[in-house]
């Protein structure tokens, strides 16, 4: 999708359709030319409501306000309304919130995210045909806009949204087409394209690194595991950020097999790792002045004669012993070793992990929201704030010492499940905290994206299936770290 920024007024731009965002759900604005027709059509400018006036060549879409989130989903709805059509070009004015051009970024993101389709497995493709969007600097309420600032924001929006779509593609790919070795080659290909460096650890190296816990989860699969390490090192890095992702290319549950209904969609258990790949792509393309490391533990959790078992005791890379009572709590085992490896390789100012870790996170806050955990409230709050700035939903879940006791084991250092059926997102986070070194204890946040990463219906700017949750929130967070003078929370 090609964006052209122009100072030309809208009516002099040649395009097949003009998109008009009706802000504040208010049809009375001067720039709404077709008031009568819209009234007749029953258009009330509700958020994301669309009305295509074919004769006039205008598509109207409602937005509740000039807030970025409202503009982003409105733009996505507009492009979705044109998906079945053969239109190739659209034009749109600029909408800013009292001169704040972030709404422009949100609008461009909305167009790219809304146009996304995943049609790899369809014999008849129905891709969005719009490939040219003219953005006029004619501002809807007559404000003046700096063209350089505007074009920089469009560039950033394109990179961020394309990276989100890149993550969506990986997650949506079937487990037979995307297994650990494939994830590793996707990372290598992306690194080559963007100038990142990329190291892949295969089973031999994983053994050498004492990653026995990760290897145990992988054991029953015909697909051998990989650990991916991507690196972005700019000239004068302002600080160091480490990202770690759960990359379960399939989670059958292992011997603690998932019931049939719960196994469907578990190709999405690689979302955390795929999100890390998407963030790394954006960080490289934006060339952010932050050193960023991305680690992915890519593993398939299957059943078989050599599968790891409930009752096993595994030894993690940091020497801690883990009593296995449920092989479906495998993500935390893969993350335990990958987190230990990441911390051995890099000392960082911030450490974030992304995982579709628990159904309990979805039970707690619903499908659309990520839950943020950790030892440090400020780091948790920072993630929540940047998620909201980027148009994602996130909320903090606090640790407490009573829940921590529920993952105690009688026979090992820690148990891989809790002895209570409640608070499962938190106890999973507390399990991970056992594998965070002292030096990183206050620099770490765990981001459970089990809710929003894969949803079987479209919502906001997100399609059916993978959403790319975590990409926009973390790109924004890292971008803002680059702006600050001091980087300690
Ligand atoms: N991958 C799942 C968590 C999940 C569930 C992600 C639903 C997305 C949607 C994870 O590996 C898992 O199975 N967790 C178990 C933990 C339990 C055995 C303690 C769960 O959430 O039920
Ligand atoms: Zn599982
Ligand atoms: Zn899992």
């Amino acid at each position: 999708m090609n964006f052209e920024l122009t100072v030309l007024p809208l009516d002099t731009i040649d395009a097949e359709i003009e998109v008009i965002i009706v802000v504040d759900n208010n049809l009375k604005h001067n720039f709404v030319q077709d008031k009568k027709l819209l009234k007749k059509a029953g258009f009330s400018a509700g958020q994301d409501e669309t009305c295509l006036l074919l004769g006039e060549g205008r598509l109207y879409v409602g937005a509740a306000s000039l807030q970025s989130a409202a503009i982003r989903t409105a733009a996505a709805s507009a492009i979705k309304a044109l998906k079945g059509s053969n239109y190739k070009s659209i034009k749109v004015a600029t909408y800013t919130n009292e001169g704040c051009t972030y709404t422009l970024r949100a609008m461009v993101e909305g167009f790219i995210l809304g146009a996304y389709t995943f049609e790899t497995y369809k014999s008849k493709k129905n891709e969005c045909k719009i490939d040219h969007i003219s953005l006029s600097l004619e501002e809807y309420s007559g404000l003046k806009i700096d063209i350089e600032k505007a074009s920089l924001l469009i560039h950033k929006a394109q990179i961020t949204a394309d990276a989100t779509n890149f993550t969506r593609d990986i997650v949506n790919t079937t487990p037979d087409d995307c297994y650990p070795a494939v994830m590793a080659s996707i990372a290598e290909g992306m690194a080559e394209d963007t100038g990142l460096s990329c190291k892949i650890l295969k089973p031999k190296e994983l053994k050498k690194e004492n990653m026995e816990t990760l290897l145990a989860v992988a054991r029953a699969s015909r697909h051998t595991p990989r650990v991916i390490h991507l690196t972005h090192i700019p000239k004068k890095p302002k600080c160091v950020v480490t990202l770690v992702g759960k990359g379960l290319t399939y989670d059958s549950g292992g011997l603690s097999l998932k019931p049939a209904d719960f196994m469907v969609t578990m190709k999405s258990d690689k979302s955390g790792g795929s999100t890390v790949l998407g963030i790394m792509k954006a960080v490289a393309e934006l060339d952010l002045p932050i050193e960023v490391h991305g680690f992915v533990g890519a593993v398939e959790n299957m059943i078989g004669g050599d599968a790891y078992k409930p009752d096993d005791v595994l030894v993690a890379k940091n020497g801690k012993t883990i009593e296995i009572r449920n092989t479906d709590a495998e993500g935390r085992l893969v993350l335990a070793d990958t987190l230990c490896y990441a911390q051995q390789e890099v000392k960082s100012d911030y450490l974030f992990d992304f995982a579709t870790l628990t159904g309990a996170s979805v039970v707690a806050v619903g499908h659309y929201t990520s839950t943020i955990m950790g030892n440090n409230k400020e780091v948790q709050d920072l993630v929540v704030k940047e998620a909201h700035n980027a148009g994602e939903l996130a909320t903090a879940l606090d640790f407490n010492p009573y829940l921590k006791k529920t993952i105690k084991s009688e026979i090992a250092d820690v148990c891989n499940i809790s002895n209570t059926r409640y608070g499962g997102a938190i106890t999973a986070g507390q399990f991970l905290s056992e594998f965070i070194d002292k030096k990183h204890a206050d620099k770490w946040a765990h981001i459970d994206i089990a809710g929003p990463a894969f949803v079987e219906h479209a919502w906001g700017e997100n399609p059916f299936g993978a959403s790319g949750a975590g990409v926009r929130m973390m790109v924004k967070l890292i971008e803002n770290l680059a702006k600050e003078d001091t980087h300690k929370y």
Side-chain angles (χ1 to χ4, degrees):
M1 199 176 270
N2 183 14
F3 289 87
E4 186 187 1
L5 185 63
T6 170
V7 287
L8 293 174
L10 267 183
D11 55 7
T12 66
I13 300 171
D14 195 26
E16 286 161 287
I17 296 283
E18 178 182 345
V19 172
I20 297 119
I21 304 180
V22 185
V23 286
D24 304 324
N25 308 127
N26 186 354
L27 277 166
K28 290 190 183 127
H29 289 294
N30 284 341
F31 61 89
V32 179
Q33 298 177 50
D34 305 295
K35 291 188 176 72
K36 273 191 186 152
L37 280 175
L38 288 169
K39 257 201 173 144
K40 234 184 186 169
F43 177 72
S44 59
Q47 177 70 47
D48 301 341
E49 187 189 350
T50 58
C51 185
L52 178 60
L53 299 179
L54 271 180
E56 323 301 315
R58 283 191 274 272
L59 172 72
Y60 286 88
V61 59
S65 71
L66 273 172
Q67 299 274 308
S68 291
I71 297 292
R72 190 182 289 102
T73 64
S77 304
I79 209 99
K80 279 184 200 172
L82 296 171
K83 244 182 210 168
S85 75
N86 287 317
Y87 297 119
K88 287 208 170 98
S89 59
I90 60 174
K91 57 180 176 180
V92 64
T94 311
Y95 298 79
T96 61
N97 200 350
E98 284 160 25
C100 161
T101 35
Y102 281 118
T103 44
L104 181 59
R105 178 172 184 169
M107 183 165 72
V108 173
E109 284 180 2
F111 283 137
I112 300 172
L113 295 170
Y116 176 84
T117 52
F118 181 73
E119 301 192 307
T120 306
Y121 304 106
K122 289 263 190 200
S123 13
K124 228 177 133 206
K125 317 279 182 206
N126 188 25
E127 279 173 0
C128 180
K129 296 190 185 65
I130 292 175
D131 61 5
H132 192 86
I133 300 187
S134 302
L135 298 162
S136 169
L137 282 183
E138 179 176 331
E139 209 272 348
Y140 92 107
S141 59
L143 294 166
K144 263 222 156 337
I145 295 173
D146 179 337
I147 188 157
E148 268 178 36
K149 209 172 158 194
S151 70
L152 187 66
L153 281 171
I154 293 169
H155 174 70
K156 286 182 177 175
Q158 280 181 289
I159 289 175
T160 314
D162 285 343
T164 308
N165 286 347
F166 169 76
T167 295
R168 290 172 171 181
D169 274 344
I170 304 171
V171 175
N172 283 326
T173 302
T174 61
D176 235 29
D177 285 347
C178 185
Y179 43 87
V182 174
M183 242 184 140
S185 60
I186 293 171
E188 282 175 320
M190 185 269 284
E192 209 173 301
D193 292 347
T194 57
L196 292 169
S197 48
C198 180
K199 182 177 170 188
I200 306 292
L201 281 78
K202 291 186 180 170
K204 230 178 163 180
E205 288 100 355
L206 298 172
K207 261 207 144 63
K208 244 197 214 149
E209 288 293 340
N210 295 320
M211 295 169 80
E212 293 294 340
T213 303
L214 181 148
L215 285 163
V217 176
R219 219 160 58 201
S221 171
R222 70 194 172 102
H223 298 299
T224 54
R226 299 286 185 275
V227 166
I228 302 163
H229 177 187
L230 290 161
T231 309
H232 167 75
I233 303 189
K235 280 215 178 86
K236 280 187 188 155
K238 294 194 168 173
C239 67
V240 183
V241 174
T242 295
L243 313 169
V244 175
K246 168 178 172 181
L248 262 289
T249 58
Y250 201 67
D251 179 13
S252 69
L255 289 181
S256 314
L257 197 63
K258 283 184 185 292
D261 284 356
F262 289 80
M263 208 184 294
V264 185
T265 73
M266 277 303 132
K267 66 174 183 182
S268 68
D269 218 19
K270 56 184 176 314
S271 294
S274 309
T275 290
V276 168
L277 298 185
I279 299 164
M280 292 306 296
K281 177 172 155 53
V283 164
E285 289 176 352
L286 291 166
D287 197 15
L288 296 178
I290 307 282
E291 179 175 328
V292 187
H293 295 263
F295 294 85
V296 179
V299 179
E300 190 181 56
N301 185 23
M302 297 297 281
I303 53 172
D306 56 352
Y308 83 121
K309 298 175 270 296
D311 284 353
D312 277 345
V313 171
L314 304 177
V315 186
K317 181 170 165 59
N318 68 353
K320 286 202 179 168
T321 57
I322 307 166
E323 179 191 358
I324 305 302
R325 292 183 76 89
N326 190 319
T327 62
D328 197 12
E330 85 302 333
R332 61 196 76 183
L333 303 173
V334 170
L335 280 178
D337 272 355
T338 313
L339 280 164
C340 290
Y341 178 70
Q343 293 172 95
Q344 167 193 293
E345 296 299 293
V346 187
K347 183 175 182 305
S348 48
D349 297 299
Y350 291 95
L351 170 61
F352 301 111
D353 75 73
F354 298 84
T356 46
L357 203 62
T358 62
S361 173
V362 198
V363 172
V365 297
H367 255 311
Y368 314 107
T369 305
S370 296
T371 52
I372 319 295
M373 286 151 268
N375 304 311
N376 183 315
K377 190 90 188 100
E378 280 175 59
V379 179
Q380 269 178 286
D381 290 346
L382 175 70
V383 178
V384 172
K385 183 181 96 188
E386 299 297 0
H388 292 162
N389 281 341
E392 289 194 50
L393 298 176
T395 191
L397 294 184
D398 293 339
F399 286 167
N400 68 65
Y402 308 107
L403 279 173
K404 183 72 189 274
K405 285 188 187 145
T406 70
I407 54 168
K408 275 193 170 164
S409 166
E410 292 293 331
I411 60 158
D413 297 338
V414 65
C415 184
N416 87 321
I417 55 166
S418 149
N419 64 19
T420 160
R421 63 168 78 234
Y422 303 114
I426 294 173
T427 50
Q430 288 178 314
F431 176 90
L432 294 181
S433 75
E434 293 285 316
F435 303 91
I436 303 296
D437 300 342
K438 262 207 181 106
K439 64 176 185 286
H440 287 123
D442 281 329
K443 306 172 174 197
W444 164 67
H446 158 56
I447 302 161
D448 194 331
I449 56 172
F454 193 94
V455 182
E456 289 195 286
H457 56 255
W459 49 292
E461 63 274 26
N462 301 294
F464 173 102
S467 68
V471 175
R472 284 182 284 142
M473 80 163 78
M474 197 43 58
V475 171
K476 186 112 234 164
L477 190 152
I478 299 173
E479 260 187 82
N480 283 345
L481 286 180
K483 283 185 198 152
E484 285 170 20
D485 293 318
T486 145
H487 304 289
K488 300 269 152 56
Y489 31 89

